[in-house]
Amino acid sequence: MDEKDELYRIAQELEAFLPGWSLSWDPGERPRFALFEGPDGAGFYVELDRRTNPARLAVHGRYPAPYCPDPARRPRITVGSARPVEAIAANVQRRFLPAYLALYAQLRERRQRAEELERRDAAIRADLAAILGERVGDDGVIRYSNSGGKPVGSRYIYGRIDVSGEEVRLDLSGVPVETARAVCRLLVETSARASGERLD
């Protein structure tokens, strides 16, 4: 029996002893790895590699991209491939899954927070772009120019707006003095209101 067939046999038998996990076998893409998929996108690989560790199965996890932990933090176990599948499954459940699932949950929550922040930033960008009559660039930056509309006198105003979290960076040039004064007054008023809220 070649290495691929042996791994497939072990993985098929192993699936019955791992409730909640299903075997996803793709010998074309992963001839040396059997993937077991579980809850919330979690998954772990079982590898049979005679070249580096004869007669051993290596078990290691799949993580939510792009949040892959450093190799030193990734739970990984090996177990003898000749052992009964019940014993292999017991090793996976006792020695691997608790640490892996805890780490996976942390990284999945981190990705969810990042996605929520990105959705919020995207909504702010869309709102600001609509006010300016501009579009959000592929790089997430709004580039403003009054050259396509009605310029302020003969003045050419241009700039860029970046959104990051709770902050918006405005980089404008050619702004009329009165507009600059109005922006400065608004900044002072906003700071004063924020200070007052903190003091209440």
Side-chain angles (χ1 to χ4, degrees), residues 13 16 65 68 160 172:
E13 295 178 4
C68 187
R160 53 182 287 153
L172 300 173

Side-chain angles (χ1 to χ4, degrees), residues 41-59:
F44 65 89
Y45 299 97
V46 177
E47 174 186 4
L48 182 64
D49 192 346
R50 299 292 191 193
R51 293 172 299 177
T52 60
N53 203 348
R56 302 292 289 181
L57 291 169
V59 180

